[in-house]
Amino acid sequence: MPKYKLYYFPLKGRGEIIRLLFAYANVEYEDVRIPFDEWPTKKNDFPFKQLPVLDVDGKRYSQSHAIERFLAREFSLVGKNSSTLAKADEFGEAMQDVMMKLPWTEKDEETKERLMKQALTETIPPALEIIENNFTNGDYYAGELTFTDIGFASCADHLLSLDSSVLDGTPKLKALFERIWAIPSIASWVKKRPKTAM
Amino acid sequence: MPKYKLYYFPLKGRGEIIRLLFAYANVEYEDVRIPFDEWPTKKNDFPFKQLPVLDVDGKRYSQSHAIERFLAREFSLVGKNSSTLAKADEFGEAMQDVMMKLPWTEKDEETKERLMKQALTETIPPALEIIENNFTNGDYYAGELTFTDIGFASCADHLLSLDSSVLDGTPKLKALFERIWAIPSIASWVKKRPKTAM
């Protein structure tokens, strides 16, 4: 088993899907959380001067989605064939589009709150409904559990923290979130993980 | 060989990397370009009400990056092992970050022009330099030709159409663009493809 070391901030953010994949697979890794005040002096140690970075026996990979996909292959979460993986990817990309509807970069607090409410009530629910309508292969989007079901659950967890009714119009997606969150190794991580606002 | 049908608009946009992958592999496909005025009546025929969609023997895949990855597997452009593929993905994701710096959704022409110039001179070149500094494996980013080298070339082609000097600070990336564009099957497509503004 390789020695894994994940570098990220004390946040869920772009690191949490990676942590959930480790949790799901019950694979040990070092969960390095760099405090924000140390980042300016440390950022030049990392290839893209950004995090997350995964170190695998000294080899470093950057970019969260590249890392997620690498671990998905390591942990056999990429589906039984190329067509399954394409459906899994379709789900992952569609959820990225959904998450991009949140006003991540808005600086003004008042504007941000307004745009957030608008996204959660006006643009995100219809986008989730389109995904729901394409969710036709049983318990998991691609017909079997893949890394993008776990990625979806992490996104849903964030959306639900902003608006607990956001999945009410999409019962299949709501059930998928609950199904993933009930997997014992995932449930155990979610219970014990550090509490962070984001 | 499966029967491939690509549905997209009369644009390069999110469809061109897919077309370049077909071109590279010399694989036949139907390049369906739906005129914008027909789209409102046709959009409900597609799973996510958006394009591109790839039809493979009647099975439909949505989301451009999911389609690119599917074809990359079909055409053996995913690297020799999981580590190579992770580096390829890292490159692809980093280039997506670069392209997101362009003001795609800005509606006001004057503001758009200003933001475009700012992106091309202030934010994009340093982002490309960081990628250049991680380009250490020879002629291709992951050490062998993968789908994200071809994806990069398509992005570079767009950036160069906006500012012909944008790659001047990154000679390795400039050489990669020229290397990909010189592949005979790619060069032949670029020469014959429909002329579109975007």
Side-chain angles (χ1 to χ4, degrees), chain A residues 47-50 59-63 65-66 69-70 73-74 81-87 89-91 93-97 100 127 130-131 133-134 141, chain B residues 47-50 59-63 65-66 69-70 73-74 81-87 89-91 93-97 100 127 130-131 133-134 141:
Chain A
F48 283 79
K49 304 176 201 279
Q50 64 187 28
K59 194 161 186 174
R60 289 184 165 191
Y61 301 96
S62 300
Q63 293 286 347
H65 301 309
R69 307 184 62 87
F70 175 78
R73 293 189 293 274
E74 295 290 296
N81 60 39
S82 181
S83 173
T84 313
L85 180 48
K87 293 309 281 183
D89 277 340
E90 176 185 285
F91 188 28
E93 299 286 339
M95 276 309 297
Q96 278 189 52
D97 287 352
M100 289 307 291
I130 290 181
I131 299 178
N133 294 339
N134 285 290
Y141 188 87
Chain B
F48 283 79
K49 304 176 201 281
Q50 63 187 28
K59 193 162 186 174
R60 288 184 166 192
Y61 301 97
S62 300
Q63 293 287 345
H65 301 308
R69 308 185 61 88
F70 175 78
R73 293 189 293 275
E74 296 290 295
N81 60 39
S82 181
S83 174
T84 313
L85 180 48
K87 294 309 281 183
D89 277 340
E90 177 184 287
F91 188 29
E93 298 285 339
M95 276 309 297
Q96 278 188 53
D97 287 353
M100 289 307 292
I130 290 182
I131 299 177
N133 294 339
N134 285 289
Y141 188 86

Side-chain angles (χ1 to χ4, degrees), chain B residues 145-182:
Chain B
L145 177 66
T146 71
F147 71 110
T148 61
D149 295 302
I150 294 174
F152 157 77
S154 187
C155 295
D157 178 48
H158 182 66
L159 293 174
L160 289 165
S161 77
L162 299 169
D163 178 350
S164 61
S165 67
V166 72
L167 295 182
D168 287 359
T170 49
K172 283 192 220 171
L173 290 178
K174 193 173 185 179
L176 176 62
F177 168 69
E178 287 161 0
R179 193 174 298 123
I180 300 291
W181 241 229

Side-chain angles (χ1 to χ4, degrees), chain A residues 50-61:
Chain A
Q50 64 187 28
L51 301 179
V53 163
L54 181 69
D55 187 308
V56 185
D57 289 335
K59 194 161 186 174
R60 289 184 165 191
Y61 301 96

